[in-house]
Amino acid sequence: MHAIKSLVIVGGGTAGWMAAAFFAKRFTGCAMTITLVESTEIGTIGVGEATVPSMKMFLADLGIDEREFIQNTQATCKLGIDFNGWWQQDTAFFHPFAMFGAKIAHIPFHHYWAYLRAQGQAGPIDDYSLPAQMARANKFALPKDEALDIARFNYAYHFDAGSFANYLSRFAQTLGVKHIEARVTHVLKNADTGNISTLILNNGKEIEGDFFIDCSGFRALLIEENLHTGYQDWSHWLPCDRALALPCAHQGYIPPYTRALACTAGWQWRIPLQHRHGNGYVYSSHYISDDQALAELTQHMHAKPTADPRVIRFTTGMRNKCWNKNVFALGLSSGFLEPLESTSIYMVQTALATLFTYFPTTADNIALSTKVNKILAEHNEKLRDFIILHYHLNQRIGMDFWDACRAAPLPDSLSNRIEEFRATGNIRFNDLDFFQISSWLAMFSGFQLLPQYQHPKILHTNKTLIIQELQQMRNAIQRVVRELPEHHQFIAKNASL
Ligand code: FAD
């Protein structure tokens, strides 16, 4: 078996071009050819516009300048997600990319907060989060490295998926990636190993490869249509199976956050870009028709659509193996979790980093593929649990979809976490958890779930001092927010609005 020298990527959506740029950079100076084949006739999914902070690391790793990225992708900044109507109708909470407060005398801040909150002597936890308050005030500035605890936060971006893929395409091609515009019509396998050997294109040409990255989207051309890898269906936990996407003009309103609005049978996103808002409704077709979903979506939009509505069907879940034989599935071909916490592009990034760490020298390496599949499955399951939590804790009583979500059984991993928080106030995580304490806390507090336990140290502390400490924190945050520029001013300075 010969060493891997040629990498072939099928698909030129976000996943395909992220893979091309990433591997071109990582294999610079190596005898590795990278070819990407895509069919513009088939096109890309074209949504996927909100990210999490690790996107900054992806760009930095490639050496891409933030300002250039903002200018080329219609990007805006994202401090977190505003969850509207999730606990009960007409309630809201914010999931920021930041810690809530620092430890006070060795005890995490949230224990003090929960103690006072249970007695009605503290505000919602958002009051103690700088990014949540910045978001509410539509303010944005870059975090400062030397900032005080309360001023530490992280941020991500919203961007136009098509512009991002085009930008990365130019970047990857300058690093030597070969781009072929054609449709793959047939796939040939090696009769002995079952590995994919050759792609036949609609222009009659053939592409041979040692290792293939399947970025063909929901179709999963190599990993499923040809290798029949199988899929774990998670719809019993996450029943939404459709999305309706409908962009509109924004009339100058560019908030620095994504809005997730709970609706009749799912939820609606609003993602602000420089030139438009992305909107969409993720719903369960069991509870609402496409026409009803469209009517509800447009009712919540305050500007004219800039394109026709598009219905996207999906089955939530993940491929049995991301890596099977000499094919690695990336992006939508590897599985799908609804975009409630903008985790798909993050998973593309994680999968790329994991594959590079365990990159095979020859096409078949069961030890490496087993390891990679296990790591990625665990990552996905942890993200899945966090998304399920949003539905499970709802109190939208009397609405069929939401009643069913509340009543559905949970994965053990999630019920254990909820019980641990309820009983001890603690949130444990390891390095495979993307969502850590602040994120789980934002959810628990947003859904009014407080721990039943108080650490004795808190009970022995003078309550007036704790109240003062929290008050000072809240005041300090308000002072910082007042001084910051508006988000649209920040974007105008960094882009060409
Ligand atoms: P696609 O964009 O579908 O690209 C598939 C590529 O394969 C295309 O280039 C196509 O031409 C090519 N192809 C297919 N068949 C062939 C063939 N036979 N020959 C040649 N080429 C072929 N993610 C986030 O992180 N944040 C979000 O906010 C977010 N929102 C989303 C909202 C919705 C409704 C959906 C469905 C997804 C969302 N995602 C989001 C996920 C995100 O869109 C995807 O993870 C990301 O775009 C990657 O898509 P992809 O590249 O795998 O597939």
Side-chain angles (χ1 to χ4, degrees):
M1 189 161 300
H2 70 279
I4 289 180
K5 288 205 181 104
S6 60
L7 196 55
V8 177
I9 300 167
V10 178
T14 308
W17 283 114
M18 280 177 77
F22 177 87
F23 285 121
K25 185 81 179 179
R26 281 287 201 275
F27 285 121
T28 300
C30 302
M32 177 77 80
T33 64
I34 303 177
T35 307
L36 184 146
V37 56
E38 68 168 320
S39 159
T40 41
E41 185 191 306
I42 294 175
T44 64
I45 195 95
V47 278
E49 303 181 319
T51 61
V52 293
S54 51
M55 176 50 75
K56 294 210 304 292
M57 282 155 57
F58 183 78
L59 300 177
D61 195 44
L62 295 180
I64 292 174
D65 172 64
E66 179 173 57
R67 205 179 151 114
E68 189 183 308
F69 163 76
I70 290 176
Q71 284 167 350
N72 279 278
T73 62
Q74 301 286 351
T76 66
C77 297
K78 172 179 171 186
L79 291 163
I81 304 174
D82 179 35
F83 284 91
N84 240 273
W86 282 77
W87 176 53
Q88 294 176 341
Q89 276 174 293
D90 303 321
T91 60
F93 63 88
F94 197 79
H95 173 193
F97 296 131
M99 288 297 292
F100 289 99
K103 283 188 175 171
I104 306 174
H106 304 289
I107 306 286
F109 159 81
H110 72 268
H111 287 277
Y112 290 94
W113 170 80
Y115 167 62
L116 291 186
R117 180 73 176 158
Q119 301 172 39
Q121 291 182 295
I125 202 158
D126 294 4
D127 287 1
Y128 310 94
S129 158
L130 177 66
Q133 293 307 311
M134 286 164 68
R136 296 265 183 253
N138 278 330
K139 302 281 188 95
F140 187 82
L142 295 175
K144 297 193 173 84
D145 289 342
E146 74 284 6
L148 301 168
D149 281 338
I150 60 127
R152 285 204 193 121
F153 66 93
N154 213 338
Y155 67 98
Y157 310 102
H158 308 110
F159 59 69
D160 179 76
S163 309
F164 183 56
N166 290 338
Y167 178 69
L168 282 186
S169 161
R170 293 193 296 274
F171 178 89
Q173 288 182 68
T174 57
L175 292 181
V177 171
K178 188 173 171 201
H179 180 205
I180 298 175
E181 205 312 271
R183 183 161 47 84
V184 177
T185 53
H186 296 90
V187 174
L188 305 184
K189 285 192 235 172
N190 178 307
D192 298 328
T193 61
N195 283 340
I196 307 263
S197 59
T198 311
L199 308 178
I200 314 284
L201 308 181
N202 64 337
N203 58 15
K205 296 203 168 130
E206 297 186 0
I207 309 176
E208 289 185 353
D210 299 322
F211 198 79
F212 292 80
I213 315 267
D214 185 348
C215 300
S216 63
F218 284 127
R219 183 170 171 196
L221 180 70
L222 305 183
I223 196 85
E224 198 55 56
E225 276 189 24
N226 279 278
L227 294 184
H228 313 292
T229 305
Y231 194 74
Q232 290 176 37
D233 183 338
W234 290 340
S235 329
H236 52 294
W237 286 315
L238 290 165
C240 290
D241 58 358
R242 284 191 199 177
L244 226 164
L246 186 61
C248 72
H250 63 38
Q251 299 168 322
Y253 178 56
I254 315 178
Y257 57 89
T258 305
R259 185 187 64 173
L261 173 70
C263 296
T264 304
W267 63 280
Q268 185 177 326
W269 79 77
R270 184 188 64 203
I271 294 178
L273 303 180
Q274 290 175 35
H275 61 318
R276 63 168 167 82
H277 280 176
N279 304 285
Y281 189 174
V282 175
Y283 56 97
S284 163
S285 60
H286 183 70
Y287 293 89
I288 198 171
S289 69
D290 294 345
D291 287 346
Q292 287 168 322
L294 180 60
E296 195 174 350
L297 174 66
T298 44
Q299 186 196 330
H300 295 134
M301 285 166 40
H302 301 293
K304 278 203 161 158
T306 50
D308 291 332
R310 203 153 52 100
V311 176
I312 300 158
R313 291 160 196 252
F314 57 83
T315 306
T316 295
M318 64 173 285
R319 205 62 59 201
N320 285 340
K321 295 176 190 171
C322 284
W323 179 353
N324 189 7
K325 296 198 175 284
N326 64 338
V327 172
F328 186 78
L330 188 72
L332 299 173
S333 69
S334 69
F336 185 64
L337 263 182
E338 58 182 83
L340 186 52
E341 287 284 354
S342 324
T343 43
S344 293
I345 293 171
Y346 160 75
M347 264 318 291
V348 169
Q349 198 182 333
T350 302
L352 286 171
T354 309
L355 177 60
F356 184 74
T357 303
Y358 297 96
F359 205 85
T361 1
T362 56
D364 266 339
N365 190 320
I366 295 292
L368 293 177
S369 61
T370 305
K371 179 78 184 161
V372 167
N373 286 330
K374 187 165 179 296
I375 293 173
L376 296 179
E378 215 175 310
H379 263 294
N380 265 311
E381 285 159 10
K382 284 170 178 289
L383 297 176
R384 174 202 69 195
D385 283 3
F386 190 60
I387 307 282
I388 298 172
L389 182 78
H390 297 55
Y391 289 99
H392 173 69
L393 292 180
N394 87 82
Q395 287 296 314
R396 293 169 63 91
I397 293 166
M399 303 179 79
D400 292 349
F401 169 81
W402 294 94
D403 290 345
C405 289
R406 215 171 37 255
L410 297 179
D412 291 345
S413 43
L414 177 58
S415 42
N416 293 341
R417 260 195 204 258
I418 296 173
E419 276 326 303
E420 180 166 357
F421 180 73
R422 215 191 288 271
T424 72
N426 283 310
I427 297 162
R428 274 184 300 145
F429 58 90
N430 64 27
D431 55 8
L432 295 181
D433 280 285
F434 173 71
F435 293 109
Q436 302 197 348
I437 292 185
S438 57
S439 296
W440 285 86
L441 192 56
M443 287 303 130
F444 287 138
S445 65
F447 284 102
Q448 312 294 316
L449 185 88
L450 292 178
Q452 289 153 353
Y453 161 89
Q454 270 99 36
H455 194 282
K457 187 150 183 188
I458 293 181
L459 300 176
H460 295 149
T461 308
N462 181 333
K463 193 157 101 182
T464 315
L465 290 181
I466 309 177
I467 293 172
Q468 278 172 2
E469 179 91 29
L470 263 67
Q471 189 57 45
Q472 280 168 10
M473 199 183 277
R474 184 151 60 176
N475 294 345
I477 287 171
Q478 290 306 337
R479 275 198 303 277
V480 174
V481 171
R482 272 197 294 277
E483 301 301 316
L484 297 177
E486 299 275 332
H487 177 232
H488 71 86
Q489 292 171 323
F490 175 87
I491 294 295
K493 228 171 118 182
N494 286 279
S496 44
L497 270 177

